[in-house]
C-alpha cells in the first residue's frame, strides 16, 4: 500500500525545470517590453477609430495612422515580436523557432530600413539602426540555447 501511494506522489518530488532560467536578464526585460508594446499596438487600432493621428514607429518605419499600409505593417511586426516574447516568457516548446523567425525578420527589416528606405524616399543620407546591435546577439543567444530548451522536460 505504501509503495502504491509513493508511486502516485513521485511526480511531486521532481525538481521543477524552468526554461526561463536559460534566458539572460536582458531578453527577459525585452519580453515584457514587447508584450506591453503589443498591447499598445493593438490599442492603437481602437484609438485610431476615435483620434485621427496615432504615431507608430518601429525599425525606422513610421506612420501617423494605424490604418495605412505602413501602420498595419508596424502593428503586424509588433504582433510577431509580442507573440515571440509571450512564447519565451511562458516557456512554450515552439518559442525558440518563433524567436528565431522574429530575430531574422527584425534584422531584414532593419537592413531594409538602413539601405532601401532612405534611397526610395528621396533622402540622401544613411541612417544606422541601433536595434540591429541587439537583434544579432538576440539571435545568437536564442540559437545557443535552442538545444537545451528543446530537450528540457517541463512538468
Amino acid at each position: 500500500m505504501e509503495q502504491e501511494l509513493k508511486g502516485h506522489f513521485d511526480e511531486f518530488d521532481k525538481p521543477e525545470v524552468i526554461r526561463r532560467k536559460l534566458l539572460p536578464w536582458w531578453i527577459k526585460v525585452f519580453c515584457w517590453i514587447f508584450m506591453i508594446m503589443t498591447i499598445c499596438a493593438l490599442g492603437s487600432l481602437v484609438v485610431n477609430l476615435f483620434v485621427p493621428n496615432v504615431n507608430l514607429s518601429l525599425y525606422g518605419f513610421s506612420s501617423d495612422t494605424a490604418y495605412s499600409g505602413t501602420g498595419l505593417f508596424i502593428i503586424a511586426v509588433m504582433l510577431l515580436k509580442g507573440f515571440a516574447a509571450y512564447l519565451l516568457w511562458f516557456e512554450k516548446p515552439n518559442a525558440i523557432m518563433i524567436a528565431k523567425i522574429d530575430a531574422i525578420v527584425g534584422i531584414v527589416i532593419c537592413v531594409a530600413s538602413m539601405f532601401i528606405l532612405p534611397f526610395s524616399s528621396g533622402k540622401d543620407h544613411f541612417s544606422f539602426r541601433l536595434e540591429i546591435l541587439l537583434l544579432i546577439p538576440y539571435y545568437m543567444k536564442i540559437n545557443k540555447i535552442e538545444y537545451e530548451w528543446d530537450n528540457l522536460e517541463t512538468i
Side-chain angles (χ1 to χ4, degrees), residues 49 57 64 70 96-97 131 139-140 151:
L49 293 172
S57 181
D64 290 332
T70 306
I96 298 296
M97 179 187 65
E131 295 95 332
Y139 180 84
M140 291 169 51
N151 290 307

Side-chain angles (χ1 to χ4, degrees), residues 7 11 42 84 87 104 115:
E11 66 185 64
L42 291 172
L87 293 176
I104 291 169
F115 295 109

Side-chain angles (χ1 to χ4, degrees), residues 24-115:
W25 67 269
W26 57 276
I27 291 181
K28 292 176 186 176
V29 169
F30 278 106
C31 282
W32 277 103
I33 289 171
F34 287 121
M35 286 190 285
I36 292 168
M37 285 180 68
T38 299
I39 293 168
C40 292
L42 291 172
S44 72
L45 290 169
V46 175
V47 169
N48 202 197
L49 293 172
F50 305 105
V51 179
N53 289 335
V54 175
N55 294 322
L56 300 169
S57 181
L58 183 68
Y59 295 143
F61 290 88
S62 60
S63 177
D64 290 332
T65 179
Y67 295 105
S68 67
T70 306
L72 292 173
F73 171 73
I74 292 168
I75 291 170
V77 172
M78 282 308 308
L79 285 172
L80 173 63
K81 297 196 87 42
F83 184 59
Y86 171 83
L87 293 176
L88 285 170
W89 188 257
F90 290 102
E91 306 172 0
K92 301 299 181 185
N94 62 344
I96 298 296
M97 179 187 65
I98 300 298
K100 288 170 103 175
I101 292 169
D102 169 41
I104 291 169
V105 166
I107 291 168
V108 168
I109 293 170
C110 273
V111 169
S113 174
M114 288 189 300
F115 295 109

Side-chain angles (χ1 to χ4, degrees), residues 1-17:
M1 177 73 172
E2 187 177 315
Q3 284 287 31
E4 187 177 314
L5 285 175
K6 187 175 181 184
H8 290 294
F9 293 106
D10 279 347
E11 66 185 64
F12 292 113
D13 293 334
K14 290 182 185 176
E16 188 172 335
V17 177

Side-chain angles (χ1 to χ4, degrees), residues 135-153:
L135 286 168
I136 293 170
Y138 170 60
Y139 180 84
M140 291 169 51
K141 182 62 179 177
I142 291 298
N143 197 41
K144 184 177 179 182
I145 67 171
E146 180 177 21
Y147 178 79
E148 194 172 352
W149 183 284
D150 289 341
N151 290 307
L152 283 177
E153 290 186 27

